[in-house]
Amino acid sequence: MNNEELKIDSEKLPRHVAIIMDGNGRWASVRGLLRSAGHSAGVKTLKKILTTAVNLKLEALTVYAFSTENWKRPHAEVDFLMHLFSEYIEREKAEMHSNNVQLKFIGRLEEFSAGIQKQMYDAVELMKNNTGVKFNIAANYGGQDEIVRATQNLAKKISAGELQPENITAEIFETELDTKSQPPVDLLIRTGGDYRISNFLLWQSAYAELWFTDTTFPEFTQEEFISALVDFGKRDRKFGAIK
Ligand code: FPP
């Protein structure tokens, strides 16, 4: 489907969409299934959302797959999510590449097992010259952690005499973020009925439009995704100014 068939005005589309994919566990529990079944169902939704992003030629899509706090979940669930990442990368990378997707993982990747890190780096390497949707998977990611890491890098440059503190600007700061060279988040979607940001893309979402739905992520459809995009097109964005 192209934008005309979808009745979408490309001019009004967000450049960067971020999604907090919440509600997998609850989707599974109400069906008497294990939480892991909810995460597997979430992966199927993610595939459809990425396809829509490719068809609509969104510039960037960032999804929250695993937070710096998610290690506190039961061992079995963490292990299952690791298994899911690994399976997802291997299964999807060829199709992503053929769709010109530029994959990136954002977060503290060094805390993943050597095997998963290799799969991540190999997939990123495969797609590094692609020019389509920038698809960021936030894994062991926390917005505060990202800001602390960026600050540490700037502090190192100052101690090495490469940077003066008074020369730090928002633009310089952004060059140290995981999403450097990408547009700020225009639209932040959260599924699953909660109304919070949960430490996701704190800097990048400074002026994001927020869109919340009670629909759990496994039940989130391409149609609902598109209605969020259309709703974004009707928002009056002022960025702190007066129109
Ligand atoms: C939140 O739902 C979801 C997560 C912590 C993981 C999201 C992961 C996926 C959608 C699949 C894996 C992703 C990739 C890229 C392979 P929850 O478990 O907190 O749900 P609940 O609030 O209902 O308990």
Side-chain angles (χ1 to χ4, degrees):
M1 273 189 289
N2 60 32
N3 294 7
E4 230 159 75
E5 282 160 337
L6 290 166
K7 305 234 175 319
I8 287 181
D9 179 352
S10 316
E11 297 284 298
K12 292 186 173 166
L13 279 175
R15 293 177 69 196
H16 189 165
V17 179
I19 308 183
I20 301 177
M21 309 181 286
D22 199 17
N24 294 342
R26 277 163 289 159
W27 178 89
S29 322
V30 297
R31 286 164 178 77
L33 302 169
L34 293 173
R35 291 176 55 82
S36 51
H39 296 314
S40 299
V43 172
K44 290 191 183 144
T45 300
L46 179 57
K47 187 173 170 76
K48 293 184 209 149
I49 298 302
L50 179 60
T51 303
T52 310
V54 168
N55 290 341
L56 294 176
K57 299 189 171 56
L58 292 186
E59 192 170 330
L61 172 70
T62 305
V63 297
Y64 209 177
F66 194 85
S67 78
T68 43
E69 287 70 41
N70 284 153
W71 298 106
K72 294 179 205 152
R73 293 188 174 206
H75 248 301
E77 184 168 342
V78 171
D79 278 356
F80 184 81
L81 282 166
M82 296 301 133
H83 155 77
L84 216 53
F85 288 157
S86 151
E87 196 183 65
Y88 176 78
I89 296 168
E90 287 319 302
R91 196 183 53 234
E92 300 296 330
K93 68 180 180 186
E95 190 177 326
M96 279 186 210
H97 186 39
S98 69
N99 282 327
N100 198 21
V101 169
Q102 194 180 345
L103 177 68
K104 189 174 170 128
F105 289 90
I106 62 169
R108 228 180 237 276
L109 306 183
E110 63 274 19
E111 284 165 24
F112 287 109
S113 74
I116 290 186
Q117 283 187 53
K118 179 160 177 10
Q119 286 182 310
M120 289 173 167
Y121 290 126
D122 288 350
V124 168
E125 184 65 21
L126 172 73
M127 290 176 242
K128 71 172 185 210
N129 295 322
N130 288 351
T131 54
V133 181
K134 294 180 200 311
F135 178 42
N136 307 306
I137 299 182
N140 195 22
Y141 174 88
Q144 291 179 342
D145 180 67
E146 183 189 29
I147 291 169
V148 168
R149 285 186 283 112
T151 308
Q152 286 171 345
N153 288 341
L154 290 172
K156 281 182 201 152
K157 287 185 180 166
I158 291 170
S159 349
E162 294 162 13
L163 181 68
Q164 298 303 313
E166 57 276 19
N167 291 341
I168 299 177
T169 58
E171 288 74 26
I172 298 271
F173 197 87
E174 278 170 3
T175 65
E176 299 294 343
L177 293 175
D178 296 343
T179 52
K180 69 168 174 240
S181 321
Q182 298 194 18
V185 173
D186 293 310
L187 175 65
L188 174 61
I189 296 174
R190 182 178 188 132
T191 63
D194 283 321
Y195 298 84
R196 49 179 177 258
I197 308 289
S198 298
N199 202 13
F200 192 38
L201 299 172
L202 296 179
W203 175 286
Q204 297 86 339
S205 299
Y207 281 99
E209 294 295 324
L210 307 178
W211 200 86
F212 298 99
T213 174
D214 287 342
T215 308
T216 61
F217 192 65
E219 293 172 300
F220 189 58
T221 58
Q222 287 169 301
E223 288 72 25
E224 193 170 2
F225 181 46
I226 288 167
S227 58
L229 302 177
V230 170
D231 185 54
F232 169 84
K234 297 179 190 153
R235 304 271 180 107
D236 184 17
R237 303 186 82 198
K238 299 201 283 255
F239 299 96
I242 297 170
K243 280 214 166 147

PDB file of all heavy atoms in Angstrom, residues 19-50:
ATOM      1  N   ILE A  19       8.162   4.000  19.915  1.00  0.00           N
ATOM      2  CA  ILE A  19       7.065   3.186  20.478  1.00  0.00           C
ATOM      3  C   ILE A  19       7.505   2.448  21.746  1.00  0.00           C
ATOM      4  O   ILE A  19       8.525   1.740  21.743  1.00  0.00           O
ATOM      5  CB  ILE A  19       6.538   2.145  19.461  1.00  0.00           C
ATOM      6  CG1 ILE A  19       6.185   2.812  18.124  1.00  0.00           C
ATOM      7  CG2 ILE A  19       5.322   1.408  20.027  1.00  0.00           C
ATOM      8  CD1 ILE A  19       5.596   1.867  17.092  1.00  0.00           C
ATOM      9  N   ILE A  20       6.718   2.629  22.800  1.00  0.00           N
ATOM     10  CA  ILE A  20       6.891   1.825  24.014  1.00  0.00           C
ATOM     11  C   ILE A  20       5.909   0.662  23.866  1.00  0.00           C
ATOM     12  O   ILE A  20       4.688   0.844  23.931  1.00  0.00           O
ATOM     13  CB  ILE A  20       6.598   2.664  25.288  1.00  0.00           C
ATOM     14  CG1 ILE A  20       7.545   3.878  25.344  1.00  0.00           C
ATOM     15  CG2 ILE A  20       6.729   1.784  26.543  1.00  0.00           C
ATOM     16  CD1 ILE A  20       7.315   4.827  26.518  1.00  0.00           C
ATOM     17  N   MET A  21       6.472  -0.508  23.625  1.00  0.00           N
ATOM     18  CA  MET A  21       5.658  -1.688  23.251  1.00  0.00           C
ATOM     19  C   MET A  21       5.193  -2.385  24.529  1.00  0.00           C
ATOM     20  O   MET A  21       5.711  -3.434  24.900  1.00  0.00           O
ATOM     21  CB  MET A  21       6.500  -2.638  22.403  1.00  0.00           C
ATOM     22  CG  MET A  21       7.194  -1.966  21.221  1.00  0.00           C
ATOM     23  SD  MET A  21       8.160  -3.114  20.197  1.00  0.00           S
ATOM     24  CE  MET A  21       9.584  -3.441  21.231  1.00  0.00           C
ATOM     25  N   ASP A  22       4.199  -1.815  25.193  1.00  0.00           N
ATOM     26  CA  ASP A  22       3.825  -2.341  26.510  1.00  0.00           C
ATOM     27  C   ASP A  22       2.545  -3.191  26.440  1.00  0.00           C
ATOM     28  O   ASP A  22       1.722  -3.009  25.548  1.00  0.00           O
ATOM     29  CB  ASP A  22       3.623  -1.162  27.472  1.00  0.00           C
ATOM     30  CG  ASP A  22       3.687  -1.600  28.928  1.00  0.00           C
ATOM     31  OD1 ASP A  22       4.202  -2.703  29.203  1.00  0.00           O
ATOM     32  OD2 ASP A  22       3.210  -0.844  29.785  1.00  0.00           O
ATOM     33  N   GLY A  23       2.425  -4.084  27.430  1.00  0.00           N
ATOM     34  CA  GLY A  23       1.197  -4.862  27.575  1.00  0.00           C
ATOM     35  C   GLY A  23       1.310  -6.302  27.090  1.00  0.00           C
ATOM     36  O   GLY A  23       0.316  -7.031  27.090  1.00  0.00           O
ATOM     37  N   ASN A  24       2.522  -6.734  26.743  1.00  0.00           N
ATOM     38  CA  ASN A  24       2.688  -8.118  26.274  1.00  0.00           C
ATOM     39  C   ASN A  24       2.308  -9.121  27.357  1.00  0.00           C
ATOM     40  O   ASN A  24       1.622 -10.114  27.093  1.00  0.00           O
ATOM     41  CB  ASN A  24       4.155  -8.389  25.898  1.00  0.00           C
ATOM     42  CG  ASN A  24       4.615  -7.579  24.714  1.00  0.00           C
ATOM     43  OD1 ASN A  24       3.806  -7.068  23.964  1.00  0.00           O
ATOM     44  ND2 ASN A  24       5.924  -7.455  24.545  1.00  0.00           N
ATOM     45  N   GLY A  25       2.782  -8.839  28.583  1.00  0.00           N
ATOM     46  CA  GLY A  25       2.543  -9.760  29.704  1.00  0.00           C
ATOM     47  C   GLY A  25       1.051  -9.885  29.989  1.00  0.00           C
ATOM     48  O   GLY A  25       0.520 -10.983  30.164  1.00  0.00           O
ATOM     49  N   ARG A  26       0.363  -8.726  30.023  1.00  0.00           N
ATOM     50  CA  ARG A  26      -1.078  -8.746  30.331  1.00  0.00           C
ATOM     51  C   ARG A  26      -1.862  -9.431  29.219  1.00  0.00           C
ATOM     52  O   ARG A  26      -2.806 -10.159  29.466  1.00  0.00           O
ATOM     53  CB  ARG A  26      -1.587  -7.319  30.555  1.00  0.00           C
ATOM     54  CG  ARG A  26      -1.322  -6.840  31.978  1.00  0.00           C
ATOM     55  CD  ARG A  26      -1.426  -5.359  32.093  1.00  0.00           C
ATOM     56  NE  ARG A  26      -0.312  -4.699  31.443  1.00  0.00           N
ATOM     57  CZ  ARG A  26      -0.334  -3.443  31.032  1.00  0.00           C
ATOM     58  NH1 ARG A  26      -1.428  -2.724  31.155  1.00  0.00           N
ATOM     59  NH2 ARG A  26       0.741  -2.919  30.474  1.00  0.00           N
ATOM     60  N   TRP A  27      -1.450  -9.209  27.987  1.00  0.00           N
ATOM     61  CA  TRP A  27      -2.115  -9.874  26.854  1.00  0.00           C
ATOM     62  C   TRP A  27      -2.071 -11.388  27.060  1.00  0.00           C
ATOM     63  O   TRP A  27      -3.070 -12.089  26.844  1.00  0.00           O
ATOM     64  CB  TRP A  27      -1.404  -9.494  25.547  1.00  0.00           C
ATOM     65  CG  TRP A  27      -1.967 -10.160  24.328  1.00  0.00           C
ATOM     66  CD1 TRP A  27      -2.976  -9.712  23.536  1.00  0.00           C
ATOM     67  CD2 TRP A  27      -1.555 -11.430  23.780  1.00  0.00           C
ATOM     68  NE1 TRP A  27      -3.228 -10.611  22.524  1.00  0.00           N
ATOM     69  CE2 TRP A  27      -2.367 -11.678  22.642  1.00  0.00           C
ATOM     70  CE3 TRP A  27      -0.583 -12.379  24.129  1.00  0.00           C
ATOM     71  CZ2 TRP A  27      -2.227 -12.815  21.853  1.00  0.00           C
ATOM     72  CZ3 TRP A  27      -0.446 -13.523  23.349  1.00  0.00           C
ATOM     73  CH2 TRP A  27      -1.277 -13.728  22.225  1.00  0.00           C
ATOM     74  N   ALA A  28      -0.908 -11.872  27.518  1.00  0.00           N
ATOM     75  CA  ALA A  28      -0.749 -13.316  27.711  1.00  0.00           C
ATOM     76  C   ALA A  28      -1.550 -13.801  28.928  1.00  0.00           C
ATOM     77  O   ALA A  28      -2.274 -14.798  28.836  1.00  0.00           O
ATOM     78  CB  ALA A  28       0.738 -13.646  27.881  1.00  0.00           C
ATOM     79  N   SER A  29      -1.432 -13.053  30.053  1.00  0.00           N
ATOM     80  CA  SER A  29      -2.102 -13.527  31.295  1.00  0.00           C
ATOM     81  C   SER A  29      -3.603 -13.679  31.104  1.00  0.00           C
ATOM     82  O   SER A  29      -4.168 -14.671  31.560  1.00  0.00           O
ATOM     83  CB  SER A  29      -1.903 -12.593  32.479  1.00  0.00           C
ATOM     84  OG  SER A  29      -0.655 -12.076  32.488  1.00  0.00           O
ATOM     85  N   VAL A  30      -4.243 -12.703  30.448  1.00  0.00           N
ATOM     86  CA  VAL A  30      -5.698 -12.830  30.316  1.00  0.00           C
ATOM     87  C   VAL A  30      -6.083 -14.013  29.429  1.00  0.00           C
ATOM     88  O   VAL A  30      -7.227 -14.453  29.452  1.00  0.00           O
ATOM     89  CB  VAL A  30      -6.400 -11.535  29.805  1.00  0.00           C
ATOM     90  CG1 VAL A  30      -6.230 -10.383  30.779  1.00  0.00           C
ATOM     91  CG2 VAL A  30      -5.934 -11.139  28.427  1.00  0.00           C
ATOM     92  N   ARG A  31      -5.144 -14.522  28.694  1.00  0.00           N
ATOM     93  CA  ARG A  31      -5.423 -15.689  27.847  1.00  0.00           C
ATOM     94  C   ARG A  31      -4.921 -16.980  28.486  1.00  0.00           C
ATOM     95  O   ARG A  31      -4.873 -18.027  27.836  1.00  0.00           O
ATOM     96  CB  ARG A  31      -4.755 -15.501  26.477  1.00  0.00           C
ATOM     97  CG  ARG A  31      -5.488 -14.486  25.639  1.00  0.00           C
ATOM     98  CD  ARG A  31      -4.692 -13.980  24.452  1.00  0.00           C
ATOM     99  NE  ARG A  31      -5.519 -13.059  23.693  1.00  0.00           N
ATOM    100  CZ  ARG A  31      -5.777 -11.797  24.038  1.00  0.00           C
ATOM    101  NH1 ARG A  31      -5.235 -11.288  25.125  1.00  0.00           N
ATOM    102  NH2 ARG A  31      -6.570 -11.038  23.305  1.00  0.00           N
ATOM    103  N   GLY A  32      -4.460 -16.874  29.745  1.00  0.00           N
ATOM    104  CA  GLY A  32      -3.952 -18.060  30.445  1.00  0.00           C
ATOM    105  C   GLY A  32      -2.638 -18.559  29.859  1.00  0.00           C
ATOM    106  O   GLY A  32      -2.291 -19.728  29.987  1.00  0.00           O
ATOM    107  N   LEU A  33      -1.900 -17.642  29.222  1.00  0.00           N
ATOM    108  CA  LEU A  33      -0.627 -18.037  28.603  1.00  0.00           C
ATOM    109  C   LEU A  33       0.546 -17.520  29.440  1.00  0.00           C
ATOM    110  O   LEU A  33       0.373 -16.635  30.287  1.00  0.00           O
ATOM    111  CB  LEU A  33      -0.521 -17.443  27.192  1.00  0.00           C
ATOM    112  CG  LEU A  33      -1.627 -17.812  26.197  1.00  0.00           C
ATOM    113  CD1 LEU A  33      -1.534 -16.950  24.941  1.00  0.00           C
ATOM    114  CD2 LEU A  33      -1.516 -19.293  25.831  1.00  0.00           C
ATOM    115  N   LEU A  34       1.712 -18.039  29.178  1.00  0.00           N
ATOM    116  CA  LEU A  34       2.907 -17.530  29.849  1.00  0.00           C
ATOM    117  C   LEU A  34       3.246 -16.151  29.282  1.00  0.00           C
ATOM    118  O   LEU A  34       2.947 -15.863  28.114  1.00  0.00           O
ATOM    119  CB  LEU A  34       4.104 -18.465  29.583  1.00  0.00           C
ATOM    120  CG  LEU A  34       4.028 -19.858  30.185  1.00  0.00           C
ATOM    121  CD1 LEU A  34       5.210 -20.710  29.692  1.00  0.00           C
ATOM    122  CD2 LEU A  34       4.059 -19.751  31.718  1.00  0.00           C
ATOM    123  N   ARG A  35       3.897 -15.307  30.095  1.00  0.00           N
ATOM    124  CA  ARG A  35       4.265 -13.965  29.639  1.00  0.00           C
ATOM    125  C   ARG A  35       5.112 -14.032  28.360  1.00  0.00           C
ATOM    126  O   ARG A  35       5.033 -13.176  27.493  1.00  0.00           O
ATOM    127  CB  ARG A  35       5.047 -13.231  30.733  1.00  0.00           C
ATOM    128  CG  ARG A  35       4.203 -12.876  31.953  1.00  0.00           C
ATOM    129  CD  ARG A  35       5.064 -12.233  33.035  1.00  0.00           C
ATOM    130  NE  ARG A  35       5.778 -11.088  32.530  1.00  0.00           N
ATOM    131  CZ  ARG A  35       5.255  -9.864  32.407  1.00  0.00           C
ATOM    132  NH1 ARG A  35       4.003  -9.645  32.755  1.00  0.00           N
ATOM    133  NH2 ARG A  35       5.975  -8.880  31.924  1.00  0.00           N
ATOM    134  N   SER A  36       5.915 -15.108  28.271  1.00  0.00           N
ATOM    135  CA  SER A  36       6.783 -15.241  27.096  1.00  0.00           C
ATOM    136  C   SER A  36       5.948 -15.290  25.800  1.00  0.00           C
ATOM    137  O   SER A  36       6.352 -14.751  24.764  1.00  0.00           O
ATOM    138  CB  SER A  36       7.660 -16.487  27.207  1.00  0.00           C
ATOM    139  OG  SER A  36       6.855 -17.597  27.497  1.00  0.00           O
ATOM    140  N   ALA A  37       4.757 -15.890  25.897  1.00  0.00           N
ATOM    141  CA  ALA A  37       3.885 -15.958  24.707  1.00  0.00           C
ATOM    142  C   ALA A  37       3.487 -14.544  24.294  1.00  0.00           C
ATOM    143  O   ALA A  37       3.319 -14.244  23.100  1.00  0.00           O
ATOM    144  CB  ALA A  37       2.660 -16.807  24.996  1.00  0.00           C
ATOM    145  N   GLY A  38       3.337 -13.662  25.286  1.00  0.00           N
ATOM    146  CA  GLY A  38       3.006 -12.264  24.998  1.00  0.00           C
ATOM    147  C   GLY A  38       4.144 -11.580  24.254  1.00  0.00           C
ATOM    148  O   GLY A  38       3.920 -10.810  23.309  1.00  0.00           O
ATOM    149  N   HIS A  39       5.379 -11.867  24.660  1.00  0.00           N
ATOM    150  CA  HIS A  39       6.521 -11.248  23.967  1.00  0.00           C
ATOM    151  C   HIS A  39       6.627 -11.769  22.535  1.00  0.00           C
ATOM    152  O   HIS A  39       6.912 -11.003  21.610  1.00  0.00           O
ATOM    153  CB  HIS A  39       7.817 -11.500  24.744  1.00  0.00           C
ATOM    154  CG  HIS A  39       7.821 -10.856  26.097  1.00  0.00           C
ATOM    155  ND1 HIS A  39       7.426  -9.562  26.306  1.00  0.00           N
ATOM    156  CD2 HIS A  39       8.155 -11.342  27.333  1.00  0.00           C
ATOM    157  CE1 HIS A  39       7.513  -9.261  27.600  1.00  0.00           C
ATOM    158  NE2 HIS A  39       7.949 -10.331  28.247  1.00  0.00           N
ATOM    159  N   SER A  40       6.366 -13.085  22.369  1.00  0.00           N
ATOM    160  CA  SER A  40       6.406 -13.639  21.000  1.00  0.00           C
ATOM    161  C   SER A  40       5.337 -12.986  20.133  1.00  0.00           C
ATOM    162  O   SER A  40       5.575 -12.664  18.960  1.00  0.00           O
ATOM    163  CB  SER A  40       6.175 -15.144  21.004  1.00  0.00           C
ATOM    164  OG  SER A  40       7.178 -15.778  21.731  1.00  0.00           O
ATOM    165  N   ALA A  41       4.155 -12.776  20.719  1.00  0.00           N
ATOM    166  CA  ALA A  41       3.076 -12.117  19.960  1.00  0.00           C
ATOM    167  C   ALA A  41       3.476 -10.676  19.656  1.00  0.00           C
ATOM    168  O   ALA A  41       3.170 -10.145  18.578  1.00  0.00           O
ATOM    169  CB  ALA A  41       1.781 -12.168  20.767  1.00  0.00           C
ATOM    170  N   GLY A  42       4.190 -10.050  20.583  1.00  0.00           N
ATOM    171  CA  GLY A  42       4.665  -8.672  20.363  1.00  0.00           C
ATOM    172  C   GLY A  42       5.612  -8.588  19.177  1.00  0.00           C
ATOM    173  O   GLY A  42       5.588  -7.619  18.406  1.00  0.00           O
ATOM    174  N   VAL A  43       6.440  -9.607  19.009  1.00  0.00           N
ATOM    175  CA  VAL A  43       7.373  -9.607  17.878  1.00  0.00           C
ATOM    176  C   VAL A  43       6.600  -9.599  16.552  1.00  0.00           C
ATOM    177  O   VAL A  43       6.990  -8.930  15.590  1.00  0.00           O
ATOM    178  CB  VAL A  43       8.326 -10.830  17.946  1.00  0.00           C
ATOM    179  CG1 VAL A  43       9.157 -10.934  16.689  1.00  0.00           C
ATOM    180  CG2 VAL A  43       9.235 -10.718  19.150  1.00  0.00           C
ATOM    181  N   LYS A  44       5.476 -10.322  16.524  1.00  0.00           N
ATOM    182  CA  LYS A  44       4.671 -10.351  15.285  1.00  0.00           C
ATOM    183  C   LYS A  44       4.116  -8.961  14.987  1.00  0.00           C
ATOM    184  O   LYS A  44       4.086  -8.519  13.839  1.00  0.00           O
ATOM    185  CB  LYS A  44       3.519 -11.347  15.425  1.00  0.00           C
ATOM    186  CG  LYS A  44       4.025 -12.775  15.451  1.00  0.00           C
ATOM    187  CD  LYS A  44       2.890 -13.777  15.331  1.00  0.00           C
ATOM    188  CE  LYS A  44       3.447 -15.190  15.435  1.00  0.00           C
ATOM    189  NZ  LYS A  44       2.582 -16.105  16.132  1.00  0.00           N
ATOM    190  N   THR A  45       3.668  -8.275  16.055  1.00  0.00           N
ATOM    191  CA  THR A  45       3.165  -6.904  15.852  1.00  0.00           C
ATOM    192  C   THR A  45       4.299  -6.016  15.338  1.00  0.00           C
ATOM    193  O   THR A  45       4.114  -5.211  14.415  1.00  0.00           O
ATOM    194  CB  THR A  45       2.631  -6.324  17.184  1.00  0.00           C
ATOM    195  OG1 THR A  45       1.580  -7.148  17.642  1.00  0.00           O
ATOM    196  CG2 THR A  45       2.133  -4.905  17.013  1.00  0.00           C
ATOM    197  N   LEU A  46       5.475  -6.174  15.933  1.00  0.00           N
ATOM    198  CA  LEU A  46       6.611  -5.330  15.547  1.00  0.00           C
ATOM    199  C   LEU A  46       6.908  -5.469  14.058  1.00  0.00           C
ATOM    200  O   LEU A  46       7.195  -4.489  13.368  1.00  0.00           O
ATOM    201  CB  LEU A  46       7.838  -5.707  16.398  1.00  0.00           C
ATOM    202  CG  LEU A  46       9.112  -4.933  16.105  1.00  0.00           C
ATOM    203  CD1 LEU A  46       8.895  -3.427  16.270  1.00  0.00           C
ATOM    204  CD2 LEU A  46      10.241  -5.398  17.034  1.00  0.00           C
ATOM    205  N   LYS A  47       6.799  -6.685  13.557  1.00  0.00           N
ATOM    206  CA  LYS A  47       7.067  -6.916  12.133  1.00  0.00           C
ATOM    207  C   LYS A  47       6.096  -6.090  11.278  1.00  0.00           C
ATOM    208  O   LYS A  47       6.485  -5.453  10.303  1.00  0.00           O
ATOM    209  CB  LYS A  47       6.937  -8.408  11.825  1.00  0.00           C
ATOM    210  CG  LYS A  47       7.351  -8.766  10.414  1.00  0.00           C
ATOM    211  CD  LYS A  47       7.354 -10.272  10.231  1.00  0.00           C
ATOM    212  CE  LYS A  47       7.517 -10.660   8.772  1.00  0.00           C
ATOM    213  NZ  LYS A  47       8.870 -10.525   8.269  1.00  0.00           N
ATOM    214  N   LYS A  48       4.825  -6.077  11.685  1.00  0.00           N
ATOM    215  CA  LYS A  48       3.823  -5.323  10.906  1.00  0.00           C
ATOM    216  C   LYS A  48       4.084  -3.811  10.994  1.00  0.00           C
ATOM    217  O   LYS A  48       3.916  -3.088  10.020  1.00  0.00           O
ATOM    218  CB  LYS A  48       2.411  -5.632  11.428  1.00  0.00           C
ATOM    219  CG  LYS A  48       2.004  -7.073  11.165  1.00  0.00           C
ATOM    220  CD  LYS A  48       0.564  -7.286  11.617  1.00  0.00           C
ATOM    221  CE  LYS A  48       0.344  -8.727  12.052  1.00  0.00           C
ATOM    222  NZ  LYS A  48      -0.658  -8.878  13.087  1.00  0.00           N
ATOM    223  N   ILE A  49       4.475  -3.374  12.168  1.00  0.00           N
ATOM    224  CA  ILE A  49       4.723  -1.931  12.348  1.00  0.00           C
ATOM    225  C   ILE A  49       5.919  -1.499  11.494  1.00  0.00           C
ATOM    226  O   ILE A  49       5.901  -0.448  10.842  1.00  0.00           O
ATOM    227  CB  ILE A  49       4.978  -1.599  13.845  1.00  0.00           C
ATOM    228  CG1 ILE A  49       3.743  -1.939  14.685  1.00  0.00           C
ATOM    229  CG2 ILE A  49       5.414  -0.146  14.048  1.00  0.00           C
ATOM    230  CD1 ILE A  49       2.454  -1.251  14.281  1.00  0.00           C
ATOM    231  N   LEU A  50       6.959  -2.329  11.475  1.00  0.00           N
ATOM    232  CA  LEU A  50       8.133  -1.972  10.659  1.00  0.00           C
ATOM    233  C   LEU A  50       7.755  -1.951   9.181  1.00  0.00           C
ATOM    234  O   LEU A  50       8.183  -1.062   8.434  1.00  0.00           O
ATOM    235  CB  LEU A  50       9.295  -2.949  10.934  1.00  0.00           C
ATOM    236  CG  LEU A  50      10.553  -2.682  10.117  1.00  0.00           C
ATOM    237  CD1 LEU A  50      11.127  -1.284  10.377  1.00  0.00           C
ATOM    238  CD2 LEU A  50      11.646  -3.726  10.415  1.00  0.00           C
TER     239      LEU A  50
END
